[in-house]
Amino acid sequence: MANPTIRDVRVILTEPDNIRLVIVKIETSEPGLYGVGCATFTQRPSTVVAAVDDYLKPFLIGRDVADIEDIWQSSYVSSYWRNGPVLNNALSGVDQALWDIKGKMANMPVYDLLGGRAREAAPVYVHTSGSSYEEVGDKMQAFMEKGHHHIRVQVETPGYATYGNRGAAAGTATASNQDVSQGPIAVTSWLRDYQDDKLYAHPGGVFEPKPYMRSAIGLFEYIRDRFGYGVEILHDVHERVPPILGVWFAKEVEKFQLFFLEDLFSPEDNEYFRMVREQCATPIAMGELYNSPHEIVPMIKDRLLDFLRMHMSQIGGITPAKKFSAMGELFNVRTAWHGPGDTSPVGHAANLMLDLNNYNFGIQEAAVFGERTKEVFPGCPEVRDGMMWSNGKPGLGIDVDEELAAKFPLKEREFGGAWDTVRRADGSMVKP
Ligand code: GCO
Ligand code: MG
């Protein structure tokens, strides 16, 4: 009996809780059989819609839903040029939807299609941030009381823009409230005027590496004094510091025994990870900004990282992700899939399928989804007792309530929803 074929490929855009989400839905020739996949690229959602509607849909209508590998490989090169964020997200939406369909046809959750479970549930880490060490510590305490054991910690750098904390607004790192204990860093009058006039894309504020690093080190000292070493702490540098300062920072924080230090460098500076590996044992996590095997394979091959942090839809879905995690296993590199609020619940469900199956699972980043988001996505993976749990349903075990999703259209955003433009005190741009 012939397999069902792809009858339609549609994109669902929705923003239930102020984060733009992109889902692909594949409908088949078998009435009632469909799949959903995450294609969320929250900074450029409409480009993903075009990539699906204009290119993947005409390429895929009529294809056998069973042929996931061939569909992935042929779609991947159907643009000739490949490995970019827009086309990978479109491809991920299709790929995850096909895995969802295959699971439904086999009446199995995707983790069983991949070889079954290596663990009952996936330990997660959650985010804390604050304007003071005490505030971060209090939030940690609250999460630990709910059974969490892995906690990401970020703190505001007084007077500066800080990743991970809605800290100082743009242009506030001025002589008046500079972190002068770190030595005066003059915000140039040109920059201040520039920011006041808002002459450039939305001001993300002033970032300076040394005040940031000192406030982060102070946070780790505070946390270890208050809680000891029993709780696992994680920290995201978010690629903002000059590489040689990143090498220094990784060495300086080794004594705090982080679970991992994330995005120490930009992908463009991958080679600096060699210096870190030769000088300290701070566990390294990297990957959310990776799109291409050319970035990922060298990092695994040379064991330059400990945790693979790829954003699954940014690398093209479950099909490539399971290959990178398998390669990671052979080099004893663990997984820590990117799981922020701008991964849809469908994407979190896809992360969870690999989390449960992979032997070399490391940790799973969990987002605290808003109530409306959970209503739009019935079957959203549950986080309980510090772990993410599958509902064991066939496929990805999640759905999209299209009628409800339509009640939350994407909002118009300043600058098209671009990432903050963060600058050094001299006005030069800082990578996000
Ligand atoms: C993380 C990430 C996110 C990204 C965001 C970009 O570790 O979860 O760094 O916070 O900044 O997903 O859109
Ligand atoms: Mg990150």
Side-chain angles (χ1 to χ4, degrees), residues 312-332:
M312 196 181 287
S313 66
Q314 289 284 355
I315 56 171
I318 291 171
T319 296
K322 70 184 178 65
K323 295 170 183 175
F324 287 124
S325 52
M327 180 185 175
E329 180 185 334
L330 301 178
F331 289 83
N332 215 339

Side-chain angles (χ1 to χ4, degrees), residues 338-349:
H338 192 222
D342 53 297
T343 289
S344 72
V346 175
H348 280 266

Side-chain angles (χ1 to χ4, degrees), residues 362-405:
I363 192 77
Q364 177 57 55
E365 180 179 15
V368 179
F369 284 114
E371 288 313 308
R372 286 187 300 203
T373 298
K374 288 192 275 193
E375 284 167 29
V376 171
F377 294 93
C380 197
E382 181 191 6
V383 173
R384 184 180 78 241
D385 303 331
M387 301 212 278
M388 189 181 283
W389 299 81
S390 166
N391 56 29
K393 290 182 179 171
L396 297 176
I398 191 166
D399 203 349
V400 186
D401 180 332
E402 287 198 63
E403 207 176 306
L404 197 52

Side-chain angles (χ1 to χ4, degrees), residues 51-366:
V52 173
D53 288 356
D54 301 349
Y55 304 107
L56 286 187
K57 177 176 176 178
F59 184 70
L60 295 174
I61 296 289
R63 292 293 299 269
D64 183 332
V65 297
D67 298 340
I68 300 177
E69 187 64 28
D70 184 64
I71 284 173
W72 195 93
Q73 297 292 353
S74 53
S75 301
Y76 176 61
V77 297
S78 66
S79 52
Y80 188 61
W81 279 275
R82 50 205 180 246
N83 294 324
V86 175
L87 300 181
N88 275 1
N89 273 282
L91 187 46
S92 166
V94 166
D95 181 72
Q96 292 185 7
L98 290 172
W99 278 103
D100 188 26
I101 289 166
K102 191 176 281 293
K104 289 173 177 175
M105 290 175 69
N107 194 28
M108 282 185 197
V110 169
Y111 57 75
D112 274 342
L113 297 178
L114 297 172
R117 291 186 305 173
R119 58 196 55 75
E120 189 186 9
V124 300
Y125 74 87
V126 287
H127 292 191
T128 57
S129 66
S131 301
S132 69
Y133 300 157
E134 294 72 21
E135 185 184 350
V136 177
D138 293 347
K139 289 180 181 176
M140 286 181 64
Q141 182 68 42
F143 270 125
M144 287 190 275
E145 286 164 7
K146 288 183 186 165
H148 285 287
H149 186 66
H150 296 79
I151 302 176
R152 188 181 89 166
V153 294
Q154 312 286 143
V155 70
E156 179 182 337
T157 306
Y160 292 93
T162 313
Y163 163 73
N165 182 67
R166 294 313 286 169
T172 57
T174 55
S176 56
N177 61 1
Q178 265 187 23
D179 184 4
V180 290
S181 60
Q182 316 301 331
I185 292 176
V187 174
T188 58
S189 59
W190 168 78
L191 175 61
R192 196 180 302 115
D193 297 346
Y194 198 45
Q195 286 181 328
D196 293 349
D197 299 339
K198 301 219 185 338
L199 293 182
Y200 62 93
H202 58 111
V206 173
F207 171 88
E208 278 294 320
K210 292 200 173 168
Y212 150 69
M213 291 192 294
R214 289 197 173 91
S215 66
I217 290 167
L219 174 66
F220 303 149
E221 282 167 349
Y222 171 83
I223 289 171
R224 289 314 188 196
D225 286 348
R226 178 168 168 182
F227 299 105
Y229 286 75
V231 60
E232 293 287 4
I233 55 176
L234 306 84
H235 183 71
D236 192 345
V237 177
H238 222 259
E239 68 176 324
R240 292 188 170 190
V241 303
I244 196 60
L245 294 186
V247 176
W248 175 85
F249 187 63
K251 290 164 67 180
E252 193 67 13
V253 306
E254 186 177 26
K255 55 182 170 291
F256 299 116
Q257 298 175 35
L258 301 185
F259 183 80
F260 69 49
L261 185 63
E262 176 184 349
D263 282 26
L264 183 59
F265 305 128
S266 301
E268 296 81 3
D269 291 322
N270 267 350
E271 274 305 299
Y272 273 92
F273 282 110
R274 287 184 201 286
M275 288 188 198
V276 174
R277 285 314 236 201
E278 286 152 12
Q279 299 188 44
C280 77
T282 294
I284 295 299
M286 183 72 184
E288 68 183 60
L289 280 166
Y290 289 158
N291 296 103
S292 164
H294 309 310
E295 299 168 300
I296 302 166
V297 170
M299 294 295 288
I300 298 174
K301 175 175 73 67
D302 294 346
R303 297 174 173 85
L304 297 179
L305 78 181
D306 301 285
F307 295 92
L308 292 167
R309 284 275 297 139
M310 283 83 85
H311 183 111
M312 196 181 287
S313 66
Q314 289 284 355
I315 56 171
I318 291 171
T319 296
K322 70 184 178 65
K323 295 170 183 175
F324 287 124
S325 52
M327 180 185 175
E329 180 185 334
L330 301 178
F331 289 83
N332 215 339
V333 171
R334 289 166 283 171
T335 64
W337 306 115
H338 192 222
D342 53 297
T343 289
S344 72
V346 175
H348 280 266
N351 285 343
L352 182 58
M353 297 299 120
L354 290 182
D355 291 342
L356 295 177
N357 168 253
N358 289 164
Y359 169 70
N360 59 318
F361 166 81
I363 192 77
Q364 177 57 55
E365 180 179 15

